[in-house]
Amino acid sequence: MKMKLASLALGATVAAAPAMADLVFPSLSYRTGPFAAGGIPFADGYADYFTLLNERDGGIGGEIAQVPECETAYNTEKGVECYEATKDSGALIYQPLSTGITYQLIPKVTADNIPMHTMGYGRTSAKNGKVFSHVFNYPANYWDGASAGVNHFLEQSGGSLDGKKITLLHFNGAYGREPIPTLEALAEKHGFEFNAIPIDYPGQEQKSQWLQIRRERPDYILFWGWGVMNQVAIQEAANIRFNMENFMGIWWSGSENDVKPAGMGADGYKSVQFHNVGSDFPVFDDIQKYVVDAGKAAGAGDQVGTVLYNRGVYAAFLAAEAAKQAQEANGTSAIDSGMMRDAMESLTITAETMEAAGLPNFGPEFSVSCMNHGGDGMAAIAQWDAEAQAWTLISEFAPSDASVIDPLINADSAAYASENNISEGCS
């Protein structure tokens, strides 16, 4: 996603090179720029979880985890620069937190033998590990999210969407357009009328979009937004008294930042989530004790338990578990990026794994293979309670519609393989 952003110094945010034996998890963060409000809590959660492992457990398998942070400002060019600046530090895994950066890094990480985890974003067809050997998008991707939203609306409408109208309100870029093919296929399957309404960056003005919505009167709205456009969209929906029970954002449009500005007007708004919400998990007590109270938090310590902080913790947890499994598989604590890639391709996350990490029922159980780098597409629905000022999961984690999504993934990944002369297969 190309954006006109102010030039920022790169070197100031890259940490000093770690000791050779340390495990390096670079953080391509964005604490500045138009999406800083979302980037900051994720980066804090990601760093704080590794700090917890260092302070409480002595690292991972006896090796200290290092999290060199490089500021991208959510700018694709800067993201690539950050990758180049940190890849020789012993980097085990990249999580770029940007679809635009992801697309540019796919050939680079493959050539450099460094795995990339694009959890809930990026190129959806990277789920096909036979083509995308170094890219993983477990436990869910955008097409899974679209399916989860439609499945929920299907349940709401009594089991039939025939004749209903579903509108996708979306960021006018690669990220926002990603679910369109899936929703078109789901519309054909379920008989609903589908249309898409784009919002140009940064999305502070949406009068024309909401006039169109008032005119077309959709039964349900799915929302793919990010940054300030989320707040604006939710306020505009409240202004026209759109039923919030029928307005659902993807996981990047479902944080506290998005709903609080609308006050009681946001009550009942929903979002798709691939991990749990809230702070009622043992790991957060440990983060408070070993990280925040000890003065070692990456930020102010005021984001613990928020949706995006939790997502950063979850991303770090999954990376740490892959590192542990790589250490066990190779009989060494000093793993390299190739070992990490192999471990990610055989990663298994069970209820026991999450329980042991202080994250019981925090996400779905899943396993990864060469054939499937994305898991089972499990997602749940969360709803905002404006009075309680809290998100709550209102459904169990459930799989997406594989009968629709798998053919789309196979077609898109096959096209990519053909364009880039990649021979499909598993090593």
Side-chain angles (χ1 to χ4, degrees):
M1 201 173 294
K2 295 182 179 178
M3 303 175 183
K4 295 181 180 178
L5 300 173
S7 178
L8 298 169
L10 177 68
T13 54
V14 180
M20 287 303 291
D22 292 344
L23 305 180
V24 184
F25 302 87
S27 175
L28 303 193
S29 62
Y30 42 96
R31 297 180 180 275
T32 65
F35 304 117
I40 290 169
F42 184 99
D44 286 351
Y46 194 69
D48 287 353
Y49 186 77
F50 285 115
T51 300
L52 170 65
L53 298 185
N54 289 338
E55 298 299 314
R56 185 193 64 192
D57 305 338
I60 302 171
E63 304 288 352
I64 294 299
Q66 296 281 356
V67 187
E69 195 167 314
C70 188
E71 174 66 39
T72 72
Y74 200 78
N75 175 273
T76 297
E77 183 179 351
K78 291 188 177 301
V80 174
E81 290 175 359
C82 279
Y83 172 78
E84 296 293 345
T86 57
K87 70 176 185 179
D88 293 328
S89 65
L92 292 177
I93 181 176
Y94 279 91
Q95 306 208 35
L97 206 61
S98 156
T99 294
I101 298 173
T102 294
Y103 271 65
Q104 293 301 310
L105 291 187
I106 288 173
K108 291 180 177 292
V109 297
T110 304
D112 295 332
N113 196 25
I114 305 174
M116 179 165 61
H117 186 197
T118 63
M119 182 179 71
Y121 62 93
R123 188 178 189 120
T124 297
S125 62
K127 181 175 182 174
N128 183 357
K130 295 183 297 179
V131 174
F132 298 93
S133 59
H134 286 69
V135 188
F136 300 81
N137 54 12
Y138 50 77
N141 58 57
Y142 285 140
W143 295 354
D144 296 323
S147 176
V150 169
N151 284 343
H152 184 74
F153 294 151
L154 184 65
E155 182 180 334
Q156 264 188 269
S157 62
S160 174
L161 288 170
D162 190 47
K164 300 290 187 181
K165 293 181 179 180
I166 297 181
T167 289
L168 172 68
L169 185 67
H170 68 92
F171 189 108
N172 193 13
Y175 151 58
R177 291 190 289 266
E178 187 77 13
I180 290 176
T182 305
L183 291 169
E184 289 173 339
L186 289 168
E188 184 175 351
K189 176 175 180 175
H190 293 293
F192 62 83
E193 180 183 331
F194 168 70
N195 77 317
I197 301 176
I199 304 171
D200 289 332
Y201 163 83
Q204 291 172 302
E205 174 52 57
Q206 298 180 28
K207 294 297 183 185
S208 63
Q209 286 87 355
W210 286 93
L211 282 172
Q212 184 176 345
I213 287 170
R214 289 185 69 178
R215 183 172 63 251
E216 296 177 354
R217 301 181 65 181
D219 297 283
Y220 302 103
I221 297 175
L222 287 172
F223 179 42
W224 255 248
W226 190 224
V228 68
M229 73 173 57
N230 293 354
Q231 301 172 17
V232 174
I234 292 168
Q235 185 61 64
E236 290 286 356
N239 291 346
I240 68 168
R241 293 181 171 82
F242 189 85
N243 185 354
M244 287 294 174
E245 290 272 343
N246 300 339
F247 188 18
M248 184 187 300
I250 191 62
W251 35 74
W252 301 112
S253 307
S255 76
E256 292 81 2
N257 298 334
D258 306 322
V259 289
K260 284 186 174 181
M264 289 303 298
D267 189 52
Y269 174 74
K270 296 173 180 175
S271 72
V272 186
Q273 298 289 353
F274 54 79
H275 59 77
N276 218 316
V277 294
S279 59
D280 191 20
F281 299 90
V283 72
F284 295 120
D285 294 332
D286 285 354
I287 287 175
Q288 188 68 40
K289 176 182 177 181
Y290 290 96
V291 182
V292 178
D293 292 347
K296 298 179 182 294
D302 59 345
Q303 296 292 311
V304 176
T306 62
V307 169
L308 293 172
Y309 184 93
N310 286 13
R311 193 161 301 156
V313 167
Y314 188 47
F317 156 72
L318 293 176
E321 291 304 315
K324 291 177 186 177
Q325 293 184 27
Q327 290 173 330
E328 293 170 4
N330 292 278
T332 178
S333 60
I335 57 172
D336 60 27
S337 60
M339 296 175 186
M340 184 73 170
R341 190 219 74 88
D342 293 347
M344 290 174 69
E345 194 167 82
S346 61
L347 182 67
T348 297
I349 298 295
T350 65
E352 291 74 22
T353 311
M354 291 181 282
E355 181 87 31
L359 290 164
N361 303 312
F362 196 76
E365 295 184 279
F366 66 89
S367 60
V368 187
S369 68
C370 172
M371 301 282 288
N372 181 357
H373 279 197
D376 297 320
M378 304 283 279
I381 306 301
Q383 189 166 35
W384 177 248
D385 184 331
E387 185 174 354
Q389 294 281 281
W391 287 98
T392 304
L393 289 191
I394 60 171
S395 79
E396 301 293 329
F397 290 101
S400 57
D401 189 342
S403 69
V404 169
I405 294 174
D406 286 354
L408 295 172
I409 286 175
N410 291 337
D412 189 76
S413 57
Y416 182 89
S418 176
E419 293 165 5
N420 293 275
N421 297 317
I422 295 172
S423 298
E424 296 189 34
C426 295
S427 56

